[in-house]
Amino acid sequence: MRLPIPAMVIGLSLASGGVAHATDLDVLVKGAKLHSANGLASDGLGHLYAASVFGNEIVKIRELDGKILSRRGMADGVQFPDDLTLGPDGSIYWTSLLVGQVGRRKPNGVTSFQSVAPGVNPITFSNGHRLFTALAFLGDALYELSPTFSAPPRLITTNLGFVNGMDWGPDGRLYGPVSLGKEIISIDVDSCENATDPYNECDITLIADDFFQVSALKFDAFGRLFAVDINGDVLRINIATGAKSVVARLPLGNDNLTFDSWGRVVVSNGYDGTITRINYNGSRTILVPGGAIVPSGVAVLADGCDESVFVGDFIKLRTFDGDTGKQTAFAPTLAGVAGALPPSITASRDGDHILTTSWYGNSVAVWDPAAEAVVETFPGYVQPLNAIKFQGHLVVAEYGAAPGAGKVILQVGATRTTLTDTLAVPTGLAAAGDDLWAADWSSGTVWQLIDDGVHLASPLLVAYGLSNPEGLAVDLDGSLLVVEAGAGRLSRIDPDTGVVWTVVSGLSPGLPAPAATPPSYFFSGVDVGPSGTIYFSNDASSRVYRLTD
């Protein structure tokens, strides 16, 4: 077996995300400050609190100018926070979507948790300081919680239709969007007698319908109901008649809303991390600018001398001009919309199409940029972490249903063959001609699986000692490029000798993984354009870099 030489550190170095001394390296895309902006609340004292579900943090923001004052993250027990609310004692409560918990941080910093169920999503207090939460998308139920978590969650009812961002109305009823946001209902939470049949046993009223997809609603201090639709509409709704009026139209991706200390509407965008204030005169002030939120897989398509860089950003597959970094197109992932692109973490070339994967939703799909349509899907993979085409056939790196169950699978037609099941967390995939390589995030190794068209019964170790390798690509000279997410660097491997050397260092290490996700979490990818330009992403800093000769 060929043993590689331990890594030699040479090449370019970046100072904390900067590029001051790298004349041939620049930031092509500088993304958002937040890895998504979701639940919102105001303390009435000049501060906003925003949940960032992908960033695993709760951020305190000054309402005056949008300055980020503090971040509470995984070290504080915050994991996958989707929504939040402030308690009467000043405690912050948040829902951990995938973990299935509700967290509470008291003003003195003491943190506690209560398990509810995966999918726990909206959360709100009643006017009488009762605490309610609900499951959405990964479950469908409404619960009441003790604000001190001193009692088990009390199931109120099920099968409401996935209640999302909800609020307590001035009439003593709970309001929320249901049926994937197509309707808004109100419910008398004390009327429910049979938790299995809400529409027969609960007092439920349809308030308004015919929305695109309402994600959240809230009442202002005057008892007026406002809602945000994912299509960008900010709406005011008459609860007596159901009449709707558009207050503002924002970009696609509205997620949640609140009212600042002066009563102005503030809206979060889950697609690009923007937080926008709507002023009294109807103008908008961007408090927190947005952009790419978790730029991950990278794929380059060329049209003559022009190169387009496709970046999987989970909520969107974004397209950037390879020269200017300007976003030229995007494909949103819209829940409930037939033919929409599934969540996209990785991206790779498939002729003039883009192959995407996501462990969230177990999706493997092919996107046609020209037709703006999904042209092929590959169901049945369990937490796919990456996919490429090899000799016209699909190769998928699958994490599996259990830890250590990782596989690299070759699909020819409908037939799937396991190339290896020895990689615990298979991430990077790369191919050139008749050769195929794969990286193992867990062991820090790169392996050759197919050599000159021959499937190797025992994979050949090419490189070791890497720090959480993710993106893998073949450069024009035949060497392998690998993003070492654990060390925050781009490295190069000689596949014949195993020599590894650093090309760029000083990047931010990859985002840490919360519970209930693969350990690689998101993905820092790399690809090489026909011009020889290297493009690579860094999910933690929300940046895409460009490296030229």
Side-chain angles (χ1 to χ4, degrees):
M1 178 179 292
R2 180 176 67 243
L3 295 179
I5 299 171
M8 301 185 297
V9 181
I10 62 176
L12 300 171
S13 179
L14 296 178
S16 186
V19 294
H21 302 294
T23 56
D24 51 359
L25 177 72
D26 59 4
V27 177
L28 181 70
V29 176
K30 184 177 181 181
K33 292 183 178 181
L34 302 178
H35 298 293
S36 74
N38 305 99
L40 278 180
S42 170
D43 64 4
L45 301 173
H47 307 117
L48 296 171
Y49 292 84
S52 177
V53 66
F54 300 140
N56 295 290
E57 62 181 1
I58 293 173
V59 181
K60 184 178 181 180
I61 301 164
R62 190 161 61 196
E63 291 179 345
L64 178 65
D65 56 7
K67 181 179 179 180
I68 294 176
L69 301 176
S70 67
R71 297 175 184 260
R72 299 287 182 186
M74 291 180 62
D76 301 292
V78 180
Q79 298 188 81
F80 248 85
D82 194 287
D83 199 5
L84 55 78
T85 191
L86 301 179
D89 67 346
S91 294
I92 301 173
Y93 294 80
W94 68 91
T95 55
S96 295
L97 180 69
L98 293 184
V99 182
Q101 291 180 332
V102 173
R104 178 195 186 198
R105 182 181 175 87
K106 297 171 65 176
N108 63 6
V110 174
T111 303
S112 57
F113 302 91
Q114 183 165 63
S115 294
V116 181
V120 62
N121 193 321
I123 189 166
T124 192
F125 273 92
S126 74
N127 297 336
H129 301 161
R130 295 167 65 184
L131 181 61
F132 297 89
T133 189
L135 310 183
F137 312 123
L138 300 180
D140 190 357
L142 177 65
Y143 294 87
E144 182 174 3
L145 306 181
S146 162
T148 61
F149 300 158
S150 58
R154 181 178 74 87
L155 177 64
I156 295 174
T157 191
T158 61
N159 301 317
L160 283 171
F162 304 123
V163 180
N164 210 339
M166 58 191 187
D167 197 19
W168 196 262
D171 56 0
R173 297 169 70 91
L174 185 66
Y175 286 70
V178 297
S179 302
L180 293 177
K182 307 296 184 187
E183 302 172 348
I184 289 176
I185 63 167
S186 73
I187 178 171
D188 177 354
V189 297
D190 294 324
S191 69
C192 302
E193 299 177 2
N194 183 344
T196 63
D197 194 358
Y199 283 91
N200 286 334
E201 305 296 337
C202 296
D203 177 2
I204 295 174
T205 300
L206 176 66
I207 302 299
D209 59 7
D210 196 27
F211 298 96
F212 180 76
Q213 189 177 337
V214 171
S215 54
L217 55 78
K218 280 195 172 103
F219 287 88
D220 71 0
F222 302 100
R224 300 177 300 183
L225 180 61
F226 290 79
V228 289
D229 197 311
I230 201 171
N231 68 0
D233 287 349
V234 181
L235 303 158
R236 182 177 165 187
I237 299 161
N238 186 316
I239 62 174
T241 66
K244 296 171 280 188
S245 58
V246 177
V247 175
R249 283 196 166 95
L250 300 177
L252 184 75
N254 287 341
D255 187 278
N256 214 301
L257 76 159
T258 192
F259 304 93
D260 71 7
S261 303
W262 293 269
R264 296 169 296 191
V265 179
V266 181
V267 179
S268 62
N269 188 300
Y271 280 21
D272 62 18
T274 305
I275 297 180
T276 304
R277 181 180 69 220
I278 301 171
N279 301 309
Y280 296 130
N281 62 3
S283 65
R284 300 109 184 239
T285 299
I286 295 178
L287 295 174
V288 180
I293 52 175
V294 279
S296 300
V298 176
V300 182
L301 295 183
D303 182 8
C305 296
D306 298 324
E307 293 179 344
S308 294
V309 183
F310 292 79
V311 179
D313 196 32
F314 191 78
I315 298 293
K316 293 180 179 180
L317 176 65
R318 300 177 185 266
T319 311
F320 300 97
D321 184 288
D323 288 325
T324 66
K326 179 182 178 181
Q327 182 172 303
T328 57
F330 68 88
T333 62
L334 297 176
V337 177
L341 184 68
S344 300
I345 296 178
T346 65
S348 62
R349 285 171 285 171
D350 178 16
D352 55 1
H353 296 164
I354 301 295
L355 177 62
T356 72
T357 71
S358 174
W359 50 262
Y360 185 87
N362 302 318
S363 67
V364 181
V366 178
W367 176 257
D368 182 346
E372 297 185 342
V374 174
V375 294
E376 194 171 11
T377 59
F378 301 90
Y381 286 100
V382 181
Q383 297 195 82
L385 302 185
N386 200 359
I388 64 171
K389 285 295 183 71
F390 172 67
Q391 296 179 330
H393 304 300
L394 181 69
V395 176
V396 176
E398 182 185 67
Y399 179 56
K407 298 177 181 178
V408 178
I409 299 169
L410 172 67
Q411 179 170 335
V412 180
T415 302
R416 297 180 179 179
T417 302
T418 298
L419 298 177
T420 182
D421 58 4
T422 61
L423 309 186
V425 187
T427 46
L429 295 170
D434 295 329
D435 298 327
L436 175 69
W437 297 269
D440 184 3
W441 186 94
S442 179
S443 63
T445 51
V446 172
W447 303 80
Q448 186 166 7
L449 306 184
I450 296 179
D451 183 8
D452 199 22
V454 178
H455 174 209
L456 302 176
S458 296
L460 177 65
L461 180 64
V462 174
Y464 68 92
L466 304 173
S467 182
N468 303 139
E470 292 183 353
L472 195 65
V474 181
D475 204 348
L476 300 186
D477 63 0
S479 64
L480 294 173
L481 294 163
V482 58
V483 179
E484 296 185 68
R489 63 176 173 246
L490 175 70
S491 298
R492 189 183 297 276
I493 304 169
D494 184 328
D496 294 323
T497 65
V499 173
V500 182
W501 65 96
T502 298
V503 179
V504 177
S505 63
L507 303 169
S508 301
L511 288 171
T517 69
S520 54
Y521 196 33
F522 285 102
F523 192 86
S524 291
V526 60
D527 198 13
V528 183
S531 66
T533 301
I534 299 168
Y535 303 89
F536 61 100
S537 64
N538 183 267
D539 58 1
S541 66
S542 295
R543 292 182 175 183
V544 179
Y545 294 96
R546 174 179 55 197
L547 179 63
T548 56
D549 291 334

